[in-house]
Amino acid sequence: MDDLKAKYLDAIGVAPDENALEELRVQAVGKKGEISLRMRELGKMTPEERQTAGPALNALKDEINSALAAKKAALSDAALDERLKTEWLDVTLPARDRRLGTVHPVSQVWEECTAIFADMGFAVSEGPQVEDAWYNFDALNIPGHHPARAEMDTFYMHRAEGDDRPPHVLRTHTSPVQIRAMQAQGAPIRTISPGRVYRADYDQTHTPMFHQVEGLAIDRDISMANLKWVLEEFFTAYFGRTVKTRFRASHFPFTEPSAEVDIQCSWEGGTVKVGEGDDWLEVLGSGMVHPKVLSAAGVDPAEWQGFAFGMGIDRIAMLKYGIPDLRAFFDSDLRWLRHYGFSALQVPTIRGGV
Ligand code: PHE
């Protein structure tokens, strides 16, 4: 019995894996295992012999079973230790640097304008960038022979060979959205139209694509005084300080009277500062919507009147954020975008300070 015990406990002690353990289990305590066979022989013994052999065999069987279980646990612990040695992860390592993109100054200022005008009751309208010449010119009182049409450096979208209809244009301003908005909603109306516009022009202050925000307010008794108030209110909110405006008589075919609007600035120290000094900077064109324009859009000029303006978004972005060169806006240079861009979490609101 002692030999049997030593034989199996030693073998279990050095078993290299679970398969070897299972073999030992079958050999020792399986149905036809050595211990089981001995137990079957108990019947042939005398009662005295059985009294000592029976409990001894049972104890041996228990001992072997618990040695098997202990070895099995030890083997799986060792296997786990082995895995932990190779499959580790240092959770204290700093995270890999993930650069966030930035909001382009044009998008930021576009949103700022929308927030400020929304606070004054202006909704947002949009129109196509590839525009029908009728909306871009004719409906705005710029007939085919008008010099303004030639002066605008228009990009034309040529028709297919044999198609004699007049070509579409890349809209040269956001004013055609005035027509589309009035056709869609009629009067009264208060709306702004931010968007891309195109002119064949390229130097430090002009790019062939740039951005404008159109403003339109039509009602029964709207005057130039309302226009002046709205614009001064806008500039004060936008620049965060009182900004004087100067209205200069001008001419646009689609407004009468027309005015170009300058804002107060200083050039001291070589950089422009808005809201101080006694220089002026032109930022928009405006006026009372021409009766012919109202008629073209299906609004009765005998009943309705109002103002319109068109402002350069890129221009006022440069002024507020001190960006010197317009061309860099559209170069997509990552260094420029990271320097002048905004966090996506800085959402412009009137209350947060645009
Ligand atoms: N559309 C004009 C421009 O692009 C600006 C403007 C808009 C003037 C509305 C008057 C009224 O220069």
Side-chain angles (χ1 to χ4, degrees):
M1 202 85 100
D2 283 343
D3 287 350
L4 257 186
K5 177 174 167 177
K7 173 177 151 191
Y8 282 112
L9 291 187
D10 287 351
I12 290 169
V14 298
D17 54 34
E18 284 198 31
N19 288 339
L21 271 187
E22 177 61 11
E23 247 168 65
L24 286 168
R25 188 190 67 77
V26 173
Q27 267 178 44
V29 295
K31 261 191 196 153
K32 290 177 185 162
E34 221 169 338
I35 314 273
S36 311
L37 292 178
R38 291 286 179 91
M39 284 175 145
R40 255 179 249 165
E41 284 163 13
L42 287 174
K44 295 176 197 156
M45 293 180 186
T46 64
E48 293 75 34
E49 280 172 328
R50 202 180 303 142
Q51 257 193 352
T52 48
L57 274 172
N58 267 323
L60 179 58
K61 188 180 173 185
D62 288 349
E63 205 171 342
I64 287 176
N65 271 329
S66 54
L68 283 166
K71 180 66 181 182
K72 193 172 172 182
L75 280 175
S76 82
D77 278 357
L80 183 60
D81 280 347
E82 200 52 43
R83 274 183 65 190
L84 288 175
K85 257 184 234 161
T86 51
E87 297 177 21
W88 60 277
L89 184 69
D90 184 352
V91 294
T92 67
L93 277 178
R96 211 171 287 160
D97 189 19
R98 266 211 258 168
R99 291 202 85 136
L100 289 179
T102 57
V103 174
H104 194 285
V106 169
S107 303
Q108 177 78 14
V109 169
W110 178 315
E111 293 300 327
E112 291 179 12
C113 290
T114 306
I116 297 169
F117 284 114
D119 204 48
M120 293 191 269
F122 287 78
V124 173
S125 325
E126 287 183 308
Q129 297 176 44
V130 176
E131 183 59 285
D132 203 300
W134 185 82
Y135 284 99
N136 196 78
F137 295 123
D138 303 79
L140 291 166
N141 195 31
I142 315 174
H145 56 79
H146 198 284
R149 198 146 167 163
E151 276 163 24
M152 273 203 166
D153 304 308
T154 312
F155 287 111
Y156 288 93
M157 310 290 292
H158 286 292
R159 296 274 189 186
E161 193 92 38
D163 186 338
D164 293 330
R165 290 173 299 168
H168 281 108
V169 300
L170 292 185
R171 67 180 180 194
T172 57
H173 51 180
T174 42
S175 298
V177 191
Q178 287 184 37
I179 308 294
R180 291 182 175 276
M182 285 190 280
Q183 280 183 336
Q185 294 175 46
I189 186 170
R190 238 187 286 177
T191 192
I192 59 161
S193 315
R196 291 184 166 183
V197 300
Y198 302 84
R199 291 181 201 173
D201 210 349
Y202 189 65
D203 60 37
Q204 199 186 340
T205 53
H206 297 92
T207 49
M209 184 281 298
F210 60 105
H211 300 82
Q212 288 187 334
V213 55
E214 194 81 5
L216 175 71
I218 304 290
D219 210 320
R220 293 178 199 278
D221 55 2
I222 287 192
S223 73
M224 290 288 274
N226 301 120
L227 169 66
K228 189 165 164 85
W229 181 85
V230 163
L231 290 178
E232 288 186 344
E233 198 70 8
F234 169 77
F235 288 123
T236 302
Y238 178 73
F239 289 108
R241 60 190 298 180
T242 313
V243 179
K244 281 192 197 144
T245 60
R246 183 173 75 172
F247 280 57
R248 267 181 301 106
S250 180
H251 177 263
F252 299 101
F254 34 93
T255 46
E256 182 58 35
S258 303
E260 281 173 311
V261 179
D262 303 336
I263 53 175
Q264 174 199 12
C265 72
S266 100
W267 283 101
E268 229 163 274
T271 52
V272 65
K273 284 195 198 72
V274 173
E276 55 190 72
D278 32 46
D279 270 324
W280 298 96
L281 209 77
E282 187 196 321
V283 285
L284 63 91
S286 66
M288 295 299 289
V289 178
H290 196 292
K292 283 190 177 174
V293 173
L294 295 174
S295 295
V299 168
D300 182 2
E303 200 180 338
W304 306 100
Q305 63 176 37
F307 65 75
F309 61 83
M311 181 161 54
I313 292 182
D314 321 84
R315 170 73 68 90
I316 63 168
M318 293 169 79
L319 290 173
K320 180 168 175 179
Y321 295 113
I323 310 173
D325 188 346
L326 175 66
R327 289 169 301 191
F329 272 65
F330 311 117
D331 283 345
S332 301
D333 183 325
L334 277 179
R335 294 164 299 177
W336 189 93
L337 292 168
R338 282 176 189 141
H339 182 77
Y340 288 112
F342 294 83
S343 157
L345 301 175
Q346 278 174 0
V347 180
T349 63
I350 288 284
R351 275 146 301 276
V354 291

